[in-house]
Amino acid sequence: MSKQQSIVNALAICILCLASSVKAMPVVTSSSTTITFDPGFAVAGAPDVVGPIPIPAAFPNYQYQGKVFNDAASGAISTATAGISTLTRPDIFGAIFPNGTGVGQTAPAGAGLNPARLRIDFNVVFSINGAPFGPPLFDQFYFPLAGNVGGNPGDFVSFVLDAKFTDTAGTAFHDLTCGFILAQPGNFENRDCKGKFPIFDPLGGAAFLPVGDIVTLNGFIEFKAKDDGLGTSSIYFVGPSGINPPPEFFTPEPPMLLLVALGFLAMPLKRIARKKAPTQSLIEPSKAS
């Protein structure tokens, strides 16, 4: 290995170590959720409200697992499962929801019940520590859904997301909204609400969140399922779901610091290219006529 190559390799290692050591560390400073389950009929204990309670960190778990309401008068049954967790990593932060979160209702024909409704309200406050967060910087959400719509006229399921990030630095975030109603009888799958939006600074600055910035994620998700005989209506998540979920849900964006590092490396590599055999010309196309 030549002296020039050794210098280039050492520089590469140094820059990449620097890139890996300077990381933003979003930290949750406060969080709460309120989970509300209304079965759609009058029964003791309904609607059921849990919270406000702190939102756990790490992998999402169920704060509300397999709640069942039975209506003795009509024979109807409504069920709900719900959970939410906070997510903080050097490359992403937000809220995630476990597989199976959702609501269902089964009722006899002619019962004429209101839809079963499950709503998760959340408020999470993050502090940007260690280093600026981004660029690149995106709002994003991903909610894969499946379920069933009963066969009686008027049966339906629906989903709504209404949330927003806000921060103390005046960064212009987006309203994160998505929703739909399905009334076609039968099973459905691969139905999703998803979106990805670049965050921009209205003053024309770089798209990053500075150290010390306080970011709040506030909003709710809501499921509804109505059945009036001829089957069951249900809607639920069929995979990891979230607001600013893990980036593998979307096309990964290249780390900006790594691109800068590659730019520094290009200069000495080009000098080597001019002195080496033609195999090195792949780094810089030959300009010979």
Side-chain angles (χ1 to χ4, degrees):
M1 181 182 294
S2 68
K3 182 177 180 181
Q4 287 175 313
Q5 285 176 314
S6 298
I7 293 173
V8 170
N9 289 343
L11 180 61
I13 293 172
C14 180
I15 292 175
L16 292 176
C17 287
L18 177 63
S20 63
S21 63
V22 181
K23 294 181 178 179
M25 292 302 299
V27 176
V28 175
T29 60
S30 67
S31 69
S32 65
T33 183
T34 298
I35 299 172
T36 303
F37 175 36
D38 184 345
F41 45 77
V43 65
D48 191 27
V49 180
V50 176
I53 58 175
I55 302 174
F59 192 80
N61 204 346
Y62 299 113
Q63 291 89 26
Y64 197 90
Q65 187 166 11
K67 180 72 176 185
V68 179
F69 277 114
N70 293 277
D71 181 17
S74 67
I77 301 173
S78 293
T79 63
T81 296
I84 179 175
S85 293
T86 58
L87 174 68
T88 56
R89 300 192 327 207
D91 59 338
I92 204 161
F93 64 92
I96 49 178
F97 303 83
N99 178 45
T101 296
V103 69
Q105 185 181 77
T106 302
L113 305 177
N114 292 325
R117 180 177 67 95
L118 171 67
R119 175 166 165 146
I120 305 175
D121 290 90
F122 47 85
N123 187 83
V124 190
V125 180
F126 303 90
S127 175
I128 306 301
N129 295 347
F133 187 88
L137 190 62
F138 291 91
D139 284 348
Q140 55 188 10
F141 59 90
Y142 180 64
F143 294 98
L145 292 142
N148 184 75
V149 178
N152 216 50
D155 291 356
F156 74 91
V157 298
S158 66
F159 176 77
V160 173
L161 160 70
D162 189 347
K164 187 177 183 67
F165 286 97
T166 57
D167 87 320
T168 56
T171 303
F173 293 92
H174 301 85
D175 291 319
L176 305 179
T177 59
C178 185
F180 61 84
I181 298 175
L182 295 178
Q184 179 67 35
N187 298 328
F188 64 92
E189 58 184 4
N190 300 324
R191 180 71 192 226
D192 58 48
C193 280
K194 63 182 178 180
K196 182 177 184 180
F197 312 98
I199 296 173
F200 61 95
D201 185 331
L203 301 180
F208 68 87
L209 303 178
V211 174
D213 197 8
I214 303 298
V215 182
T216 300
L217 171 60
N218 178 266
F220 71 89
I221 61 172
E222 183 177 82
F223 304 81
K224 288 184 179 179
K226 176 175 173 55
D227 179 64
D228 199 17
L230 302 180
T232 295
S233 293
S234 64
I235 181 169
Y236 51 89
F237 292 146
V238 289
S241 310
I243 302 169
N244 270 30
E248 56 266 23
F249 291 146
F250 296 94
T251 302
E253 301 296 332
M256 184 61 67
L257 189 54
L258 180 58
L259 292 180
V260 172
L262 292 176
F264 279 115
L265 289 177
M267 293 183 290
L269 285 174
K270 288 178 180 179
R271 296 191 185 101
I272 293 173
R274 295 189 180 98
K275 298 179 180 180
K276 289 293 182 180
T279 54
Q280 293 291 326
S281 67
L282 293 175
I283 299 173
E284 181 180 57
S286 173
K287 295 181 182 179
S289 57

